[in-house]
Amino acid sequence: METMPPPHHRCPACGTPLPATAPPPACPRCALPLVGPVAGELRETDRALLRLDAERGRLLVRRGQLLAQLRPPYPQAPWGAAPGTPWGAPPRRETSPRAVQNLLLALGGVLLAVAAIAFTVISWGRLGIGGRAAVLGVLTLAATGVPVLLLRRTLKATAEVVACLGLVLLLLDAYALHRVAFAEADGLRYAALSLAAVAALWAGYGKAFGRLVLPVPFAVAIGQLPLVLWASAEESAYGIAAALLATAALDAAAALLTGGRGTRVTAAVAGTAVGAAGLLTAGGLSVSAGDGGAALRAGALLLGAAAVALAVALRRPVPAAVSGILAGVAALAAVGAAGGVVRTGVSVDWIVPGYLVCAVVVLGAAAFAVPARLRPVAAGLAAGAAAVHALALLWALPPLAVGVVTPDAWEGPYSAVAVAGLLAAELAAAARLHRGTPYAPPAASGALVSAAVAVCAPGPLPVRLVAVAALLALSARALTWTALVSACGLAATAVAWAHPERTTTLTVLAVLLACFGALYAAASRTRAVTASAVVACAAGLAWTGLPAHAAAFTLLAIAAAAQAAALRAPGRPFEHPGHAAALLGIGLAADDPALLALALALAGVLAAAVAALRTHRRGLGYVATCLTVAASWVRLAASGVDAPEAYTLPVTVAALAVGALRRRRDPAFSSWAAYAPGLAATLLPSLAAAWGDPGWVRPLCLGAASLAVTLLGAHHRLAAPLLLGAGVLALDALHELAPYIAQALGTVPRWVPLALAGALLLGVGATYERRLRDVRRVREALGRLR
């Protein structure tokens, strides 16, 4: 039997201390057996692990000592060293060796090129012909041969710089040759030939030494100039446009057929810039062509550019986005070419429709002639044609808008109507072609609006009414909101057209009332709009056929009829149009105070009736009270009454009695609803009269009354009397003290108010926390009021 471990040992499973004497056969906490061969082997394993841990700690300490002996001693870090930098650490390098190398090489190459140019241009005359030839020849051969040796020594960056210097020397050789041997030659033509030769030689040089990256891209960049310079010597705009487009075509071929990335990028960028310049030049020639021949020549250039753009777009390595852009450019170029030819054979008004017809042809080709696998190309062609459509619409929109909105006779070009009609036909075809897709509803809506504008812009008034009826019928059948909104807009313009003549206006409004009434009966989903249109037509009939004072009460009758219809109609579509008619009636009666008072009273009766008949419109009861009070005030003002209290006090007594009865039946009823209308009926008119009264009786009586109301509100803890009385009392006191305040302010120096304001702000800032606590207490006190 094994003996127990020493006293300092613990249970190997749970760490429970074990007694030194009378060892238990198992751990008293986790019941792990502590005797036997397995328990003995476990103890030996734990001891071996402890020895390994101790040895590991010793070795780590020794490793640190050895590292400290190997590090050289550094001086102490100076003041201002970066945070976290160890003392004696070497300074951080801010540039990489490669960046320094490239900078030095580039700077050296630039300096050598400047020196060579200065030597050739300035010091050329000091040497004879042999010396000149020898110097330039030796320098050129050296600059083009040294890169070979540098590449063998793997100095590629230096070889690139020296090769660029050789290119500069080649250009200087061409310049010197012109000065010596070809001085009589035309400068532009010689420059074109010499640049073409230099570009070809430098491209061959780059191909011969394939490890050099820059020669071939530089040759491509130089190759942009020869054709343009040669065409410039001819002084022909068509030749310059052709040269630009031909250069762009060569760039496209280089970008697609060459293997180097730098060459492809250079050719693509240069071809884009040169091609854009060529397209703009050819487009300008097409737009300004004076006859068919000139337009054909410019169109041929544009068609050539379109063919090149399409050829590049159809190449497989070209990304889809680039293919779409190139296809759009091709579409614009093709439309410009065909439209330029059409332009020379039509009048000025029909130029834009001519371009639009060409765009329609291109759009049809994109929709039906391009295979489905070339979707980016088709999308690009469609986008280019759509851009032409948008420009045509912008051109036609001003005369069409004027023809639709203004009540004058049509004076715009009929070509604008043709543009609208063509757009309507296209959109209708697109809606039919894409039926069942998300594109169909917008296309159908656009076709409907375009067709309505095309028909109504030049048409007389009967045509417009027929169009309104047709749109309403379409809305009832297809439930399209576009047709309904278009019909409402055309109906408004028809009323504007007929407005100068009373009989015509009445006829138009009657026809529109019948049409919208029929639509209201036929379609339930559009009743919210058609009900408003019916009320608007009825209001227009009343306004047009009667004088203002009679029209006001007719509109109130229409409002009452609308509210009565809203009681029976599902969804109550006539409710808000009735409110609008009542407001319009009140506005028409505003010129005559007596009629305004009557109109306000009738509107108050109508609001009270609606509030009584409809439970969900109880809030109109407050509106009825306000209208009634306003009617009484207007009536008093119209009668020249100086003492409104004699008329408002009975209203106040009655309103307060009703409020008290309501509060007795329902103690939770708000004091604002119970007492505020009655108190305001007397306090507010009296306050307005007191501010204009030079005497002291009315302000004194008003102050006493408002003080009594305030005390009653405070005693019964009612918010409405308390706040209304306090507010009126404060304003009345301010009115009484205003002369004395003005007199006192006249004798006080101007700096005193500023000082007082500063002291006030300082005091508020110093006691901010206490003020917030007081505000919270007041708010809680007001909240406890009923």
Side-chain angles (χ1 to χ4, degrees):
M1 177 71 67
E2 277 191 38
T3 61
M4 287 296 297
H8 62 275
H9 280 196
R10 298 173 179 270
C11 175
C14 62
T16 303
L18 301 176
T21 59
C27 177
R29 182 176 180 182
C30 64
L32 181 74
L34 300 176
V35 295
V38 178
E41 186 177 356
L42 179 61
R43 283 193 296 275
E44 292 297 330
T45 303
D46 289 342
R47 292 191 183 98
L49 288 174
L50 290 174
R51 288 193 297 270
L52 288 176
D53 291 340
E55 183 66 16
R56 175 179 173 80
R58 186 188 67 78
L59 291 175
L60 288 175
V61 172
R62 182 57 182 166
R63 181 178 182 276
Q65 295 173 354
L66 295 175
L67 287 176
Q69 294 176 7
L70 290 176
R71 291 194 181 110
Y74 292 114
Q76 185 177 6
W79 291 101
T85 303
W87 285 8
R92 182 175 60 89
R93 291 178 172 84
E94 297 182 352
T95 57
S96 64
R98 183 178 296 275
V100 176
Q101 163 199 302
N102 293 336
L103 177 62
L104 294 177
L105 290 175
L107 183 60
V110 170
L111 293 177
L112 288 176
V114 171
I117 294 172
F119 168 77
T120 304
V121 176
I122 299 174
S123 302
W124 182 255
R126 301 177 184 177
L127 298 176
I129 295 181
R132 301 169 190 171
V135 170
L136 284 178
V138 170
L139 290 177
T140 304
L141 290 175
T144 54
V146 169
V148 179
L149 301 177
L150 295 174
L151 287 175
R152 290 178 182 177
R153 295 179 177 271
T154 64
L155 300 174
K156 186 177 179 181
T158 308
E160 296 280 4
V161 174
V162 175
C164 293
L165 180 61
L167 175 60
V168 174
L169 291 172
L170 275 178
L171 295 174
L172 293 176
D173 289 339
Y175 169 75
L177 188 61
H178 177 262
R179 290 284 302 274
V180 174
F182 302 101
E184 302 298 330
D186 181 72
L188 290 177
R189 288 189 174 88
Y190 178 81
L193 292 175
S194 60
L195 288 175
V198 170
L201 287 175
W202 207 242
Y205 181 80
K207 290 294 183 182
F209 301 101
R211 295 175 60 186
L212 294 176
V213 177
L214 297 179
V216 177
F218 279 13
V220 172
I222 296 172
Q224 309 302 310
L225 300 176
L227 292 179
V228 179
L229 292 176
W230 188 274
S232 299
E234 300 293 337
E235 296 183 354
S236 172
Y238 290 94
I240 294 175
L244 289 170
L245 294 176
T247 304
L250 293 176
D251 289 332
L256 292 175
L257 301 178
T258 55
R261 183 175 181 273
T263 305
R264 292 198 307 269
V265 172
T266 304
V269 173
T272 301
V274 175
L279 280 174
L280 291 177
T281 305
L285 293 173
S286 176
V287 171
S288 61
D291 54 8
L296 285 173
R297 291 196 298 273
L301 293 176
L302 290 173
L303 288 178
V308 173
L310 276 180
V312 177
L314 293 174
R315 294 284 296 184
R316 189 170 297 276
V318 178
V322 178
S323 296
I325 294 173
L326 291 174
V329 172
L332 291 174
V335 172
V341 176
V342 174
R343 186 188 65 84
T344 59
V346 298
S347 61
V348 177
D349 292 340
W350 292 93
I351 291 177
V352 174
Y355 279 100
L356 183 59
V357 170
C358 298
V360 171
V361 174
V362 173
L363 187 60
F368 300 103
V370 180
R373 59 184 179 84
L374 301 177
R375 182 173 298 176
V377 176
L381 292 173
V388 178
H389 283 69
L391 293 175
L393 180 60
L394 288 177
W395 173 83
L397 194 59
L400 291 175
V402 171
V404 170
V405 175
T406 60
D408 299 328
W410 169 257
E411 296 179 357
Y414 281 91
S415 54
V417 179
V419 169
L422 188 57
L423 289 176
E426 284 189 88
L427 291 172
R432 187 176 183 83
L433 180 64
H434 298 283
R435 180 181 299 175
T437 65
Y439 304 103
S445 300
L448 186 62
V449 174
S450 300
V453 171
V455 170
C456 296
L461 189 57
V463 174
R464 188 160 302 203
L465 292 178
V466 171
V468 170
L471 289 172
L472 292 178
L474 179 62
S475 175
R477 180 179 179 182
L479 296 177
T480 59
W481 286 99
T482 303
L484 180 58
V485 173
S486 301
C488 293
L490 291 178
T493 60
V495 174
W497 276 39
H499 179 65
E501 298 182 2
R502 178 180 177 183
T503 304
T504 306
T505 305
L506 292 175
T507 304
V508 169
L509 288 172
V511 172
L512 293 177
L513 180 60
C515 292
F516 282 107
L519 179 61
Y520 176 82
S524 59
R525 289 179 55 185
T526 60
R527 284 178 177 172
V529 177
T530 52
S532 301
V534 168
V535 174
C537 292
L541 286 172
W543 196 349
T544 304
L546 297 174
H549 64 278
F553 297 100
T554 307
L555 285 173
L556 289 175
I558 292 173
Q563 297 299 335
L567 293 175
R568 303 178 62 87
R572 299 179 297 277
F574 286 100
E575 181 179 6
H576 297 299
H579 298 336
L583 290 176
L584 182 59
I586 294 173
L588 289 179
D591 293 339
D592 191 339
L595 294 178
L596 178 60
L598 182 57
L600 288 172
L602 292 176
V605 172
L606 178 60
V610 174
L613 294 175
R614 302 172 66 177
T615 57
H616 64 286
R617 286 292 183 262
R618 298 300 186 190
L620 289 177
Y622 302 108
V623 177
T625 303
C626 295
L627 290 173
T628 305
V629 172
S632 63
W633 292 350
V634 172
R635 180 68 261 182
L636 292 174
S639 302
V641 175
D642 296 331
E645 292 83 2
Y647 300 91
T648 58
L649 281 176
V651 177
T652 297
V653 172
L656 291 178
V658 173
L661 291 176
R662 180 62 188 272
R663 289 268 303 173
R664 180 174 296 180
R665 294 176 56 187
D666 185 8
F669 194 65
S670 173
S671 64
W672 288 102
Y675 301 125
L679 292 174
T682 294
L683 291 178
L684 296 182
S686 298
L687 179 63
W691 272 74
D693 191 351
W696 59 273
V697 177
R698 177 180 280 114
L700 180 60
C701 295
L702 178 62
S706 58
L707 177 61
V709 170
T710 304
L711 294 177
L712 286 174
H715 177 71
H716 294 285
R717 302 175 65 185
L718 298 176
L722 175 63
L723 296 181
L724 279 175
V728 173
L729 180 60
L731 293 175
D732 185 59
L734 180 62
H735 171 262
E736 293 301 312
L737 293 175
Y740 303 100
I741 295 174
Q743 183 178 0
L745 290 177
T747 60
V748 173
R750 295 185 178 181
W751 59 268
V752 173
L754 299 178
L756 292 177
L760 176 64
L761 292 176
L762 184 62
V764 172
T767 59
Y768 185 72
E769 184 177 1
R770 190 178 63 185
R771 297 293 186 271
L772 288 179
R773 183 184 58 194
D774 295 341
V775 169
R776 285 195 296 268
R777 289 178 178 177
V778 172
R779 184 180 60 187
E780 293 174 357
L782 291 176
R784 290 192 295 268
L785 299 177
R786 292 172 293 168

